[in-house]
């Protein structure tokens, strides 16, 4: 005769970069350098879940993927003038730069006013193409000026 029994077989996890799972879509451990994320519809192995998982000078950014069933987390490099940052821009600046809190993003600038510039220099704001994109930097005064509050000899 025939005997009735259940046939069990091992299946691999259905989660990319997962090394251990409790079910097909429930990951409990990931490959080195990745972190298990318990998603709403499915689990994933992500490069970061918090900024502490990223190298200094970068932050963990969650990319919302409304059209998909998962979110993507990745480390994003800060601007070279930032000491630390988040998705709103710089949160602190490297030496020699000053934090400018803008309307849409925070940046680190060479100067925010003349006190940040050296003798014989003034602070100017250069328009980089849009009203929200400015670059602040120290510029030399006109050669006729010992000090100034702008460019040209009339600003001495």
């Amino acid at each position: 005769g025939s005997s009735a029994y259940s046939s069990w077989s091992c299946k691999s996890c259905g989660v990319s970069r997962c090394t251990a799972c409790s079910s097909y879509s429930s990951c409990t451990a990931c490959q080195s350098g990745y972190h298990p994320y318990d998603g709403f519809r499915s689990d994933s192995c992500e490069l970061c879940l918090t900024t502490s998982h990223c190298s200094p000078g970068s932050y963990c950014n969650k990319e919302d993927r409304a059209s998909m069933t998962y979110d993507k987390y990745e480390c994003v490099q800060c601007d070279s003038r930032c000491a630390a940052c988040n998705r709103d821009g710089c949160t602190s600046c490297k030496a020699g730069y000053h934090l400018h809190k803008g309307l849409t993003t925070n940046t680190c600038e060479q100067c925010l006013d003349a006190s940040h510039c050296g003798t014989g220099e003034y602070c100017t704001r250069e328009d980089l193409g849009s009203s929200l994109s400015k670059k602040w930097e120290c510029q030399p005064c006109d050669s006729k000026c010992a000090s100034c509050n702008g460019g040209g000899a009339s600003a001495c």
Side-chain angles (χ1 to χ4, degrees), residues 68-95:
M68 299 183 168
T69 59
Y70 67 96
D71 298 322
K72 179 182 177 186
Y73 291 80
E74 62 183 353
C75 294
V76 176
Q77 189 68 37
C78 299
D79 181 87
S80 62
R81 298 171 291 184
C82 301
C85 65
N86 60 29
R87 69 182 319 146
D88 295 325
C90 301
T91 55
S92 64
C93 300
K94 291 181 178 175

Side-chain angles (χ1 to χ4, degrees), residues 3-46:
S3 62
Y5 67 92
S6 294
S7 175
W8 293 88
S9 63
C10 295
K11 302 279 186 196
S12 63
C13 293
V15 178
S16 178
R17 295 180 292 274
C18 186
T19 57
C21 53
S22 57
S23 69
Y24 180 74
S25 64
S26 183
C27 184
T28 56
C30 297
Q31 293 174 355
S32 178
Y34 290 88
H35 307 276
Y37 172 67
D38 183 14
F40 177 67
R41 291 191 179 94
S42 67
D43 290 358
S44 61
C45 289
E46 300 293 339

Side-chain angles (χ1 to χ4, degrees), residues 20-141:
C21 53
S22 57
S23 69
Y24 180 74
S25 64
S26 183
C27 184
T28 56
C30 297
Q31 293 174 355
S32 178
Y34 290 88
H35 307 276
Y37 172 67
D38 183 14
F40 177 67
R41 291 191 179 94
S42 67
D43 290 358
S44 61
C45 289
E46 300 293 339
L47 285 170
C48 64
L49 298 178
T50 67
T51 296
S52 65
H53 295 142
C54 300
S55 62
S58 62
Y59 69 98
C60 186
N61 186 53
K62 175 184 175 185
E63 179 184 323
D64 295 318
R65 295 181 164 203
S67 63
M68 299 183 168
T69 59
Y70 67 96
D71 298 322
K72 179 182 177 186
Y73 291 80
E74 62 183 353
C75 294
V76 176
Q77 189 68 37
C78 299
D79 181 87
S80 62
R81 298 171 291 184
C82 301
C85 65
N86 60 29
R87 69 182 319 146
D88 295 325
C90 301
T91 55
S92 64
C93 300
K94 291 181 178 175
Y97 294 99
H98 307 276
L99 186 62
H100 177 259
K101 295 191 178 217
L103 294 173
T104 58
T105 188
N106 300 328
T107 59
C108 290
E109 302 296 338
Q110 186 181 30
C111 63
L112 299 178
D113 59 48
S115 69
H116 298 138
C117 297
T119 304
E121 294 181 325
Y122 67 98
C123 184
T124 185
R125 186 174 64 190
E126 177 187 348
D127 189 345
L128 297 177
S130 79
S131 61
L132 300 177
S133 183
K134 307 273 187 214
K135 179 181 175 186
W136 299 71
E137 58 185 15
C138 297
Q139 293 290 327
C141 294

